[in-house]
Amino acid sequence: MNAEIISVGTEILMGQITNTNARYLSEKLASLGVDVYFQTTVGDNFERLKQALSIAFSRSNMVILTGGLGPTGDDITKEAAASYFDMPLYLNDEALAAIEKYFQKLNRKMTKNNEKQAMFPKEAIILPNDNGTAPGCIMEKGDKAAILLPGPPNEMVPMFEKYVIPYLKEKSRDVIYSKVLRFIGIGEAALEERLSDLLESQTNPTLALYAKEGEVTVRVSAKAKDENEAKKLVEDMCGVLISRCPDEFYAYGDDNSLVKVVCKALMERNLSISTAESCTGGLLGQNITSIPGASQIFSQGIITYSNSAKMQYLGVREETLKTHGAVSCECAKEMAQGMRRISNSDISVAITGIAGPSGGTAEKPVGLVYISLAHKNGVCVKKFNFSGSREKIRNYAVLNALNLVREYLNGTLDKQGEKL
């Protein structure tokens, strides 16, 4: 099954609104085994929208449109789609009653132009809107189908989940099963190289790589006559992927973030953690404490931004700072060791670096970060050279600090206790 996404709205075309709908739909359709080869954005213009529909249906048998279902004159998505299919619009009493009920719930008066939102072809499948006034619909003719959804994400997403996904599943003869694998400590290009033979020969299941900030995910999807067969295809492929990257794989699932995985592992092992941060300014501690139940594992965190604070609170030696500087392997070690000493925690993580945009030198450029982990058997340090904005560098530092904890818990750190 092929589909194309058309996002309708001049405000999207002009960059006034970020188009999150297309991204959401692409990810969801991929997980359902629907191939999306094109995305189009078109303004609120009747003829141009009809032209976009004509082009889309020349290469896809399903088009999903978002936006342009409002009550005003420039909301023309439904009208354009009905015109393309040569389907007259009629007032649907059931849809009108639902819109009136929504206004009553808000204790607001419905204006006459809202009746426009209750106009549909008689053949259309109406999709109720539980979160707004604009119902969606599905128009079918021959082997073509147009699925019309409202533009606001808080209306579009629930409608798609509740009504469109069951519709798509009914249209597919096969069962589709998907699983997402998450990898950290390896870039998209490097991961693609390790999996090149699998990517080049893929048929069923299929693999899709997605680069995210600081990590890469791989979605494995399979089609089969029943769920057990599809699941076995996916599980077998997942086993191959993990065997190729055993140290970098850390979790399954779209929302199973690294901080969740690390905190869960610490809780299960009844281990405590503390943090000493410089360039990240408490961001690592903030990430950890965002997880429910973090009080079981997080003892304390200190932000030591200045050299004097590093000496006063963590016991970093003045000689270390004079000889090596605050952004150094030696300083990171002493920060982690000092934090573990004063907190009496099982693990202490320290971060020191140059987040930029200024402050770098030829020897110590912006993006240079040292992350240290002190534990019962010693201390380890890793050196990183990140690129990007100040925010990205700080986020990368936090992700890699969490990954250092993960490596320690998995027993994959160097036995010598140092990685540089």
Side-chain angles (χ1 to χ4, degrees):
M1 190 185 305
N2 296 335
E4 184 160 335
I5 298 168
I6 297 180
S7 304
V8 183
T10 302
E11 67 278 8
I12 301 173
L13 201 60
M14 296 179 67
Q16 296 170 342
I17 293 178
T18 301
N19 188 3
T20 60
N21 286 342
R23 176 183 174 183
Y24 166 84
L25 289 170
S26 292
E27 290 183 350
K28 284 294 182 180
L29 291 168
S31 70
L32 292 164
V34 179
D35 297 318
V36 178
Y37 297 129
F38 299 93
Q39 292 183 12
T40 302
T41 301
V42 61
D44 301 307
N45 181 280
F46 186 85
E47 293 302 327
R48 284 195 285 273
L49 180 51
K50 276 191 68 176
Q51 184 181 10
L53 280 166
S54 180
I55 294 169
F57 277 120
S58 71
R59 56 199 181 193
S60 302
N61 55 0
M62 180 183 295
V63 178
I64 300 177
L65 302 98
T66 62
L69 300 182
T72 60
D74 61 350
D75 292 308
I76 42 79
T77 299
K78 189 167 41 183
E79 291 75 7
S83 176
Y84 174 82
F85 283 123
D86 194 23
M87 294 179 175
L89 295 171
Y90 299 91
L91 185 66
N92 184 285
D93 292 335
E94 188 176 343
L96 180 61
I99 295 170
E100 289 173 340
K101 185 177 180 181
Y102 185 83
F103 274 97
Q104 290 170 4
K105 182 181 176 182
L106 297 178
N107 198 26
R108 287 169 51 195
K109 183 179 179 181
M110 189 185 94
T111 57
K112 183 69 175 176
N113 60 358
N114 282 107
E115 290 185 5
K116 175 178 182 290
Q117 295 177 296
M119 301 288 290
F120 293 95
K122 289 182 178 178
E123 307 90 335
I125 302 170
I126 298 176
L127 307 176
N129 189 339
D130 302 322
N131 301 280
T133 62
C137 73
I138 300 172
M139 301 182 193
E140 298 176 317
K141 197 164 190 178
D143 65 343
K144 301 184 185 301
I147 301 174
L148 282 61
L149 303 171
N154 67 320
E155 298 178 30
M156 187 279 292
V157 172
M159 187 181 292
F160 184 86
E161 298 274 355
K162 188 172 182 179
Y163 301 109
V164 180
I165 288 179
Y167 169 83
L168 294 175
K169 286 183 176 179
E170 283 183 12
K171 290 290 181 182
S172 177
R173 296 179 181 178
D174 294 322
V175 172
I176 296 119
Y177 181 81
S178 296
K179 206 163 188 177
V180 172
L181 293 82
R182 304 179 75 102
F183 297 86
I184 188 79
I186 186 170
E188 183 183 20
L191 183 58
E192 184 178 26
E193 187 175 8
R194 286 198 204 178
L195 308 178
S196 59
D197 59 318
L198 300 174
L199 293 166
E200 289 168 7
S201 63
Q202 63 176 311
T203 52
N204 187 34
T206 58
L207 308 177
L209 275 65
Y210 301 95
K212 299 193 174 184
E213 192 169 274
E215 63 177 296
V216 186
T217 63
V218 180
R219 183 181 295 276
V220 183
S221 303
K223 296 180 184 179
K225 296 301 179 184
D226 60 68
E227 185 174 347
N228 287 335
E229 184 183 347
K231 189 173 182 179
K232 185 177 187 310
L233 288 168
V234 170
E235 295 292 353
D236 288 348
M237 179 56 73
C238 287
V240 174
L241 297 181
I242 294 170
S243 71
R244 298 280 182 94
C245 310
D247 294 337
E248 292 84 3
F249 170 75
Y250 77 86
Y252 290 106
D254 274 321
D255 61 349
N256 208 4
S257 65
L258 182 59
V259 67
K260 285 182 181 179
V261 170
V262 169
C263 287
K264 182 182 178 183
L266 289 168
M267 291 175 193
E268 288 174 347
R269 301 182 192 199
N270 197 29
L271 295 175
S272 59
I273 186 170
S274 58
T275 58
E277 302 183 59
S278 185
C279 65
T280 46
L283 192 57
L284 175 58
Q286 180 183 327
N287 271 255
I288 294 171
T289 55
S290 70
I291 303 301
S295 59
Q296 300 174 41
I297 57 168
F298 189 69
S299 59
Q300 61 180 297
I302 296 180
I303 303 169
T304 53
Y305 218 66
S306 66
N307 285 357
S308 59
K310 291 177 176 66
M311 291 187 290
Q312 180 181 349
Y313 297 106
L314 300 175
V316 175
R317 294 177 301 161
E318 185 176 6
E319 180 186 351
T320 299
L321 295 168
K322 285 182 178 179
T323 306
H324 303 285
V327 181
S328 65
C329 165
E330 292 77 9
C331 180
K333 275 186 177 182
E334 292 185 23
M335 287 173 65
Q337 289 170 320
M339 190 68 232
R340 186 166 185 268
R341 184 176 59 252
I342 63 174
S343 65
N344 199 31
S345 57
D346 296 299
I347 301 168
S348 290
V349 181
I351 304 174
T352 180
I354 305 170
S358 60
T361 64
E363 291 182 354
K364 295 185 178 182
V366 169
L368 174 64
V369 175
Y370 290 92
I371 303 173
S372 181
L373 186 149
H375 50 89
K376 63 180 180 180
N377 296 322
V379 61
C380 65
V381 185
K382 289 185 76 172
K383 176 184 177 182
F384 299 90
N385 286 100
F386 302 124
S387 60
S389 65
R390 180 180 179 84
E391 181 183 12
K392 279 192 173 183
I393 290 169
R394 283 157 50 91
N395 286 333
Y396 287 150
V398 168
L399 274 174
N400 282 277
L402 290 167
N403 193 44
L404 195 62
V405 178
R406 183 187 70 88
E407 288 181 329
Y408 169 74
L409 295 174
N410 289 349
T412 55
L413 284 179
D414 288 353
K415 290 182 180 179
Q416 292 79 11
E418 189 162 297
K419 274 191 171 185
L420 285 173

